[in-house]
Amino acid sequence: DTGVSQDPRHKITKRGQNVTFRCDPISEHNRLYWYRQTLGQGPEFLTYFQNEAQLEKSRLLSDRFSAERPKGSFSTLEIQRTEQGDSAMYLCASSLASRGGYGYTFGSGTRLTVV
Amino acid sequence: ILNVEQSPQSLHVQEGDSTNFTCSFPSSNFYALHWYRWETAKSPEALFVMTLNGDEKKKGRISATLNTKEGYSYLYIKGSQPEDSATYLCAPRNAGNMLTFGGGTRLMVKP
């Protein structure tokens, strides 16, 4: 297992287009998290899954954002009708719920630029 | 939403200097405090997890202390090296195993 992987690493899109990012967590991890980080800020929580169930969703996540984890393995984050304010680093992390004391393992992120 | 503050926001030091940063967080509903190091173009890397008041952890030249009663943690780097240049993030964890991150301290070590 090579850790948490995210694809793509970088995405440039025009305002109004839809984008989708993918995250592959560590295989035995049952929890998967999405965070967003903008310049000068720490990562902000967006949503998380335990297995395939989406258990919590931040108020930051507008209706244009949707996340899925259909088989409890990889996850996708889709942003519809992108806006310039969506430009950020989107981080995915995974953990094993029963071993919360070990924190999260992060991917390298997807950097989105909306022009 | 927890209010987690880190200071300073950024720090420039010379190679060989020792330095420290602060993380402050609400002391209620506290379960653990995590420190991460995030180098440019890499993924955040876990440094420490601390749970008990008075905890001290050490990893090479980096150490951290925790005060859960007053809600703060210090991260120390002894004899900074250019490879220590990174953003250092702290994140308290609540009962639901959720991490809330501070804004980070960006450290730059000049050779």
Side-chain angles (χ1 to χ4, degrees):
Chain A
D1 197 340
T2 55
V4 178
S5 61
Q6 292 188 244
D7 184 68
R9 290 293 302 270
H10 303 274
K11 178 73 178 178
I12 299 174
T13 191
K14 289 185 179 177
R15 190 161 52 99
Q17 297 293 304
N18 299 344
V19 293
T20 301
F21 312 140
R22 177 179 168 124
C23 171
D24 286 87
I26 291 174
S27 55
E28 63 265 28
H29 285 182
N30 54 1
R31 282 200 175 180
L32 186 148
Y33 308 82
W34 285 100
Y35 280 77
R36 179 174 70 186
Q37 190 251 349
T38 52
L39 201 61
Q41 305 293 319
E44 295 173 296
F45 170 76
L46 293 178
T47 188
Y48 91 94
F49 294 83
Q50 180 149 321
N51 301 312
E52 65 273 13
Q54 188 173 19
L55 295 187
E56 192 167 336
K57 197 172 165 179
S58 164
R59 284 168 285 177
L60 291 174
L61 220 59
S62 76
D63 292 342
R64 297 183 296 105
F65 287 70
S66 61
E68 291 184 343
R69 194 182 182 197
K71 297 180 181 177
S73 56
F74 74 91
S75 175
T76 57
L77 178 69
E78 182 184 13
I79 308 174
Q80 295 183 323
R81 304 180 303 283
T82 51
E83 300 173 357
Q84 287 190 319
D86 297 331
S87 296
M89 173 74 83
Y90 290 83
L91 285 168
C92 174
S94 67
S95 73
L96 200 54
S98 61
R99 296 185 74 193
Y102 292 86
Y104 303 170
T105 301
F106 281 92
S108 299
T110 293
R111 182 166 292 285
L112 173 67
T113 303
V114 181
V115 297
Chain B
I1 298 176
L2 294 181
N3 186 24
V4 182
E5 294 188 355
Q6 291 189 246
S7 64
Q9 277 192 318
S10 66
L11 194 55
H12 290 75
V13 301
Q14 288 293 136
E15 183 176 353
D17 288 350
S18 293
T19 186
N20 64 86
F21 334 128
T22 305
C23 170
S24 62
F25 52 88
S27 52
S28 59
N29 195 24
F30 172 87
Y31 273 71
L33 193 284
H34 296 250
W35 279 100
Y36 284 84
R37 185 171 93 168
W38 193 6
E39 292 181 68
T40 303
K42 295 186 179 178
S43 51
E45 171 199 355
L47 282 175
F48 303 116
V49 181
M50 295 184 288
T51 54
L52 300 176
N53 185 45
D55 255 357
E56 289 189 32
K57 295 275 175 115
K58 190 174 179 183
K59 188 176 181 179
R61 294 177 291 97
I62 305 177
S63 59
T65 60
L66 178 66
N67 182 321
T68 59
K69 292 183 179 177
E70 295 180 43
Y72 65 83
S73 176
Y74 293 136
L75 188 81
Y76 301 91
I77 302 180
K78 185 177 176 183
S80 303
Q81 299 296 307
E83 58 264 31
D84 296 329
S85 297
T87 296
Y88 291 83
L89 296 165
C90 73
R93 175 165 60 90
N94 65 13
N97 198 33
M98 299 300 299
L99 299 185
T100 301
F101 287 87
T105 293
R106 188 175 173 214
L107 174 67
M108 282 153 283
V109 183
K110 300 175 194 174

